[in-house]
Amino acid sequence: MEPVPTSLPTAPFFEADSTPLTILVVDDEEFNRALLNMLLSARGWNVINAADGFEAVERFKQYRPDIVLMDVMMPGMDGFDATRMIKKLAGATHVPVIFVTTLNDSESLSRCLACGGDDFLSKPCNHVILYAKLAAHGRIRRLTSMLDARNRALKRHSDRIATEHAIAQRVFENFLAPGLSELPGFRVHLSPTSLFNGDIVQAVVTDRGHLQVLLGDFTGHGLAAAVGSIPVAEIFTSLSRRNVSVGKIAFELNARLRALLPEEMFFAAIIAEFNANGRRVEIWNGGMPPPYLITPSGNLGAVLKARNLALGIVPDHEFEETTDTLHVNPGDCLYLYSDGIIEETNRDGEAFGSERLVQVLTQEDSTHDRFNRLIEAQRQFAAHDSPNDDTTLVEIVCGTVWGDPPKSVAQTHQSFPFPWELTLPLNIEHLKTAQPVPFVASMLRNMDVDEQQADIISVILVEMFSNSLEHGVLGLHSNHKDDEDGYVDYYEQRKLRLRDATEGFVNIRVRFTPRGRGGELRIEVQDSGPGFDIELLQATNPEGFRFHGLQFLPTICREINYDRDTRTLAVTYILEPMLETETMA
């Protein structure tokens, strides 16, 4: 790469410059030309002569001198017109023109300056003043030449950077936002503070007709914040197309970003999944502002505050895949946004804020276009044209048909024509670092299990595993969660006890047996704890224990067994046959 000048030469550099000046002497008197030739040659400078204005212009074209000594009164073309022509030919290059004249009235001197002259010398010339003026203008000439060279180098450098940025911007745009504008019921507004955006929006329609959306915000701005967007987009897209759950996507992104990002950088994100029938939204929120659900009538339907830390911070064994589920109606709108919107300030330094955002979204007007109304409200509120931070707003209309499924007729088919079994023996070190439930749940989702049944099985696994780990291995009691403070203390105790535990195990076994067109799923969870009274599990409101929600199991499982000797809880769940769609002619 061509080096760019970073400093300017000093005056001593010019005085020590060994390159002699080339001076064009223009005078219609031969004696005057001869005198100037003698004086200039004595200093080692190169001299070019011209007898009138026409000849001066031609000599300038031919030799491109450094300085011009110009007579004023000459036949044909006078010094004024010759100077105008020379200055035009010089263009952006600074070529000093010094008028050598007997004129001394103000009007004549003003004309010399008006036509482009830079200085004056009176005839007859004083050689001391002549040398001083030429040396000074020589320094200025060299200085401007260096400035010109530096500016040209900077211009080439700037053009190269602009070209590289333009290419990178096209790559980012093509990679990070493919087809977002074509998604029905989906609108996005992105306003970066610089050429590159630290915010990222991704959306994938799965082969089951669900919409999975990622909105994230990297620490900082510009290219440094944007570079992480490509691996995030690649991981999210890959996992979404494999129908991986929202919590598992968050886990995988967190693990990858912890390996990629520097310690001072993290990625706040919301990951949401809208199911195909438009009735349910599952959301994982890590460090992002709370999304708002607005009903068609303009009411605030729900606010979902972040329950997790941003991605790239928490180690795998402490990561929480906890999600929130919203039951929505067609026509409801979910608004996701980055903190750049609520942190935008006006001229008084006041922030736009969450309250103003909700007020804009819920106010009544004839257009019902809350998306553009919010963008315009923030624009009018801001004290400047460019935002303080990258700002992103996403509007998603619930109940939208995301894909374009063919017309079909439903037929039953056998999901699993063969039996299979999965066993996970987890010791205390596994329990401190592993996430077995999402692993098992993702396998079931990839084995052609109906989406609704896969969700139910995931809940069963979560409750059984949590009970064995928390109450069996760690000895925690659920009655600690009776109030808000106790709830926080419970999970703090869970974290500490798991960290300090030196022994214990949980064994998970999942076995499938085909039955007709469906099958029977047997789930067994064994732990190293002291066991519990199975009658409490069957009670409606057991006192002292809630067993982490296990009371709901009898309502969805065909059979529940507990072996006190082996401390094994086992349930049987009946898998209904899948519905296979066949395209109608």
Side-chain angles (χ1 to χ4, degrees):
M1 179 180 291
E2 181 179 341
V4 178
T6 56
S7 61
L8 295 176
T10 58
F13 170 84
F14 294 119
E15 292 174 358
D17 188 1
S18 59
T19 304
L21 292 172
T22 298
I23 302 171
L24 173 61
V25 175
V26 185
D27 200 302
D28 59 336
E29 294 288 341
E30 184 177 355
F31 174 78
N32 292 336
R33 296 199 302 273
L35 176 62
L36 289 173
N37 267 268
M38 180 185 67
L39 294 173
L40 299 176
S41 299
R43 293 295 300 265
W45 292 329
N46 301 318
V47 182
I48 302 167
N49 292 284
D52 56 40
F54 292 109
E55 189 177 1
V57 173
E58 292 302 318
R59 291 285 189 271
F60 182 84
K61 291 179 183 179
Q62 183 178 2
Y63 295 103
R64 293 287 173 172
D66 298 308
I67 301 175
V68 178
L69 294 177
M70 180 71 72
D71 187 17
V72 176
M73 307 305 296
M74 295 180 293
M77 180 185 293
D78 61 20
F80 300 125
D81 290 338
T83 298
R84 291 189 186 95
M85 294 281 294
I86 288 173
K87 288 290 186 177
K88 185 176 181 180
L89 290 171
T93 303
H94 176 64
V95 178
V97 175
I98 302 174
F99 280 98
V100 183
T101 179
T102 58
L103 301 175
N104 57 13
D105 59 287
S106 298
E107 182 179 354
S108 298
L109 296 178
S110 295
R111 288 186 65 191
C112 291
L113 294 176
C115 70
D118 298 281
D119 206 341
F120 308 94
L121 274 172
S122 297
K123 289 182 179 180
C125 291
N126 181 300
H127 70 280
V128 175
I129 296 176
L130 172 66
Y131 291 153
K133 284 183 178 285
L134 288 175
H137 282 287
R139 287 194 296 270
I140 295 172
R141 161 73 168 153
R142 295 188 185 101
L143 175 62
T144 55
S145 296
M146 287 295 297
L147 282 172
D148 289 343
R150 180 175 183 241
N151 288 336
R152 286 193 298 272
L154 288 173
K155 179 64 166 55
R156 288 193 298 270
H157 186 65
S158 176
D159 290 344
R160 186 182 302 112
I161 291 176
T163 301
E164 292 171 354
H165 279 189
I167 294 171
Q169 186 180 28
R170 287 197 297 272
V171 171
F172 271 83
E173 290 175 350
N174 293 336
F175 187 86
L176 298 178
L180 290 182
S181 59
E182 286 78 30
L183 274 175
F186 188 97
R187 289 197 285 181
V188 59
H189 169 75
L190 293 161
S191 179
T193 57
S194 64
L195 185 63
F196 297 99
N197 200 342
D199 292 355
I200 173 178
V201 178
Q202 290 284 285
V204 174
V205 179
T206 72
D207 55 9
R208 295 173 177 172
H210 297 191
L211 175 70
Q212 288 193 335
V213 178
L214 166 71
L215 168 60
D217 180 4
F218 277 98
T219 310
H221 315 294
L223 183 58
V227 291
S229 299
I230 288 182
V232 165
E234 185 177 6
I235 296 167
F236 173 79
T237 302
S238 174
L239 294 177
S240 292
R241 288 173 178 166
R242 288 161 45 197
N243 297 295
V244 176
S245 65
V246 165
K248 185 62 175 176
I249 292 175
F251 176 83
E252 294 294 341
L253 283 171
N254 180 73
R256 188 71 64 87
L257 290 175
R258 285 192 72 240
L260 290 176
L261 298 180
E263 290 184 359
E264 67 276 8
M265 192 173 181
F266 55 85
F267 181 57
I270 285 180
I271 307 173
E273 179 178 272
F274 297 75
N275 71 339
N277 65 16
R279 296 289 183 176
R280 180 173 58 83
V281 184
E282 184 181 5
I283 296 177
W284 185 93
N285 188 349
M288 289 290 283
Y292 294 107
L293 184 72
I294 307 296
T295 67
S297 59
N299 295 321
L300 181 61
V303 179
L304 296 176
K305 294 184 178 180
R307 301 177 59 179
N308 307 286
L309 293 176
L311 298 171
I313 300 175
V314 180
D316 292 354
H317 66 278
E318 295 182 9
F319 188 81
E320 293 288 343
E321 298 181 18
T322 307
T323 60
D324 290 293
T325 300
L326 281 178
H327 295 282
V328 298
N329 296 307
D332 291 347
C333 289
L334 188 69
Y335 291 90
L336 314 176
Y337 55 96
S338 62
D339 58 10
I341 289 183
I342 56 177
E343 293 178 359
E344 185 60 82
T345 57
N346 61 12
R347 291 180 176 84
D348 299 325
E350 178 187 8
F352 190 79
S354 300
E355 292 185 6
R356 185 176 282 104
L357 186 148
V358 173
Q359 182 181 4
V360 173
L361 289 177
T362 56
Q363 74 183 48
E364 295 183 5
D365 66 13
S366 57
T367 64
H368 300 291
D369 189 358
R370 300 181 183 89
F371 181 80
N372 286 316
R373 187 169 66 208
L374 179 56
I375 295 171
E376 180 62 21
Q378 191 211 23
R379 188 190 67 79
Q380 294 184 2
F381 177 85
H384 35 70
D385 294 333
S386 58
N388 297 324
D389 194 2
D390 300 323
T391 59
T392 302
L393 174 66
V394 178
E395 177 191 70
I396 307 164
V397 181
C398 302
T400 302
V401 178
W402 308 113
D404 188 18
K407 295 181 180 180
S408 60
V409 59
Q411 296 180 340
T412 60
H413 78 286
Q414 189 172 8
S415 300
F416 304 102
F418 52 85
W420 53 266
E421 183 175 312
L422 174 68
T423 302
L424 295 177
L426 306 172
N427 61 32
I428 192 63
E429 295 304 320
H430 297 145
L431 296 174
K432 288 182 178 183
T433 59
Q435 295 286 336
V437 174
F439 172 74
V440 177
S442 64
M443 290 189 63
L444 290 169
R445 289 175 183 269
N446 291 327
M447 290 179 177
D448 205 21
V449 175
D450 176 81
E451 180 72 15
Q452 184 176 6
Q453 294 186 92
D455 289 341
I456 294 173
I457 296 168
S458 296
V459 173
I460 294 173
L461 281 165
V462 167
E463 298 301 341
M464 294 178 68
F465 174 75
S466 298
N467 173 73
S468 290
L469 174 62
E470 296 171 9
H471 307 310
V473 177
L474 302 179
L476 291 166
H477 293 265
S478 284
N479 56 2
H480 292 167
K481 296 188 286 184
D482 286 335
D483 55 44
E484 184 176 351
D485 293 336
Y487 191 92
V488 174
D489 179 66
Y490 177 89
Y491 282 101
E492 183 63 27
Q493 287 296 320
R494 180 189 187 278
K495 177 181 177 181
L496 294 175
R497 291 193 187 189
L498 184 60
R499 182 196 65 188
D500 298 335
T502 58
E503 59 182 16
F505 66 83
V506 174
N507 296 329
I508 299 175
R509 183 185 182 196
V510 183
R511 184 175 70 253
F512 175 77
T513 305
R515 294 282 188 269
R517 290 185 175 274
E520 180 181 279
L521 195 69
R522 183 75 169 174
I523 303 173
E524 299 176 0
V525 179
Q526 178 192 30
D527 65 73
S528 57
F532 62 90
D533 188 350
I534 190 63
E535 293 180 359
L536 290 178
L537 174 63
Q538 297 168 342
T540 305
N541 292 301
E543 296 182 1
F545 264 126
R546 277 190 294 245
F547 293 105
H548 207 81
L550 288 180
Q551 292 78 30
F552 86 100
L553 293 183
T555 64
I556 58 176
C557 296
R558 172 168 292 184
E559 184 181 1
I560 301 177
N561 303 108
Y562 182 70
D563 188 327
R564 290 187 177 87
D565 294 333
T566 61
R567 301 171 307 284
T568 301
L569 178 64
V571 301
T572 300
Y573 178 80
I574 302 301
L575 280 171
E576 300 295 336
M578 288 280 289
L579 287 179
E580 184 179 74
T581 58
E582 182 179 283
T583 303
M584 297 176 62

